[in-house]
Amino acid sequence: MKILVTGSNGFIGQNMVNALKEKHKVSTYEWGQQYPLLDGLDWVVHLGAISSTTEKDVRLIVRQNLESSIYLYEDCIEKGVNFQFASSASVYGIDPPSFKEDADLNPQTHYARSKALFEHYIKLRQAPIVTQVFRYFNVHGPNEDHKGDQASPHTKFLKQAKETGRVKLFKNSEYFYRDFIHVDKITEYHQRFFSIQKSDVWNVGTGFEKSFYEVALSICKETGASIEWIDMPEKLKKGYQNFTKADTTKLWRTLS
């Protein structure tokens, strides 16, 4: 198949392109490049976005995460190109009563709001093309180094352990849990859904939670590093999720 991947230089984008090009003809697009021609494509895998959860420039996020996504989506509809969109578990907000796909959304950051708004646009649009929305939980894996503080704890902790012999961990991290999913599973699910002619929203996670402390401890055991407990920055406290765990019932029901 002919597939366009947006955000191809990003963490997930690089892994997506590497996975898809083994079986498909893949083209790529990054913000700021010449807009791609969609004629003849089978799918657009839309990963491109400002992914920083601490970005404060609302206009920039609206322009890149929302307006450009709408433009691309409308072009896909006009050209009859199926569409996969990378959303985020952050749309659920802090400690929601449920992580089911039909739960009320309560995004707390500009990034999360941009994802929720585009999901809402897709829902209202009721387009005739196949439109698949994937709410990623906490993705980790190779090609994260450029993300700095936005990298997964797996990548940050391992880098710290190798460079300093210490892993910096926020105090009370034994009580902060995430559903960590490897990027290889993300690329696998995208490919499996190419053969599913259904439009909907799915959580993409493991269905299991692990604390930041557990991740740090495993890396310390692997490298011989020690843990350095630090205070959480004030700017992170307001929108920081204490717990995430994907409800994967719908995902597995669709794939079975």
Side-chain angles (χ1 to χ4, degrees), residues 91-93 96-107 123 135:
V91 299
Y92 290 110
S98 169
F99 282 102
K100 290 186 176 181
E101 289 88 346
D102 59 357
D104 291 337
L105 303 185
N106 187 27
K123 183 178 180 180
R135 290 177 183 162

Side-chain angles (χ1 to χ4, degrees), residues 60-188:
L60 182 63
I61 289 179
V62 168
R63 186 166 64 249
Q64 289 191 218
N65 289 15
L66 184 58
E67 292 177 351
S68 66
S69 296
I70 291 173
Y71 184 89
L72 177 64
Y73 188 48
E74 289 296 332
D75 199 9
C76 285
I77 295 169
E78 182 179 339
K79 302 294 196 316
V81 179
N82 293 330
F83 192 84
Q84 290 183 337
F85 171 58
S87 188
S88 166
S90 63
V91 299
Y92 290 110
I94 300 174
D95 301 330
S98 169
F99 282 102
K100 290 186 176 181
E101 289 88 346
D102 59 357
D104 291 337
L105 303 185
N106 187 27
Q108 298 294 305
T109 66
H110 299 317
Y111 163 78
R113 292 185 190 102
S114 73
K115 294 293 187 180
L117 283 169
F118 187 51
E119 280 197 29
H120 187 62
Y121 182 88
I122 289 172
K123 183 178 180 180
L124 292 178
R125 186 63 173 80
Q126 293 290 299
I129 60 172
V130 177
T131 304
Q132 299 172 342
V133 176
F134 300 124
R135 290 177 183 162
Y136 297 165
F137 278 67
N138 295 81
V139 189
H140 66 97
N143 301 318
E144 277 196 274
D145 294 337
H146 67 285
K147 294 185 67 176
D149 285 342
Q150 293 292 313
S152 73
H154 296 76
T155 295
K156 286 195 294 186
F157 293 167
L158 185 59
K159 186 174 187 291
Q160 291 170 4
K162 289 180 176 179
E163 292 180 353
T164 69
R166 300 179 72 83
V167 171
K168 293 183 178 181
L169 194 63
F170 293 147
K171 293 175 182 177
N172 298 317
S173 283
E174 63 269 39
Y175 305 114
F176 298 141
Y177 291 87
R178 295 289 185 274
D179 185 332
F180 295 109
I181 181 169
H182 195 275
V183 69
D184 287 349
K185 296 301 294 183
I186 297 291
T187 62
E188 175 192 328

Side-chain angles (χ1 to χ4, degrees), residues 21-40:
K21 68 183 182 181
E22 296 179 5
K23 297 181 180 179
H24 307 287
K25 185 175 181 180
V26 179
S27 55
T28 61
Y29 173 68
E30 277 291 342
W31 176 262
Q33 295 178 347
Q34 183 175 350
Y35 184 77
L37 295 176
L38 305 188
D39 301 83

Side-chain angles (χ1 to χ4, degrees), residues 233-246:
E234 287 297 324
K235 67 178 182 179
L236 294 182
K237 290 182 179 179
K238 183 180 179 181
Y240 205 77
Q241 293 171 301
N242 292 319
F243 177 90
T244 68
K245 184 175 75 169

Side-chain angles (χ1 to χ4, degrees), residues 8 10-20 141-143 183-184 187:
S8 52
F11 155 49
I12 297 175
Q14 292 182 57
N15 287 281
M16 187 69 68
V17 170
N18 289 336
L20 294 180
N143 301 318
V183 69
D184 287 349
T187 62

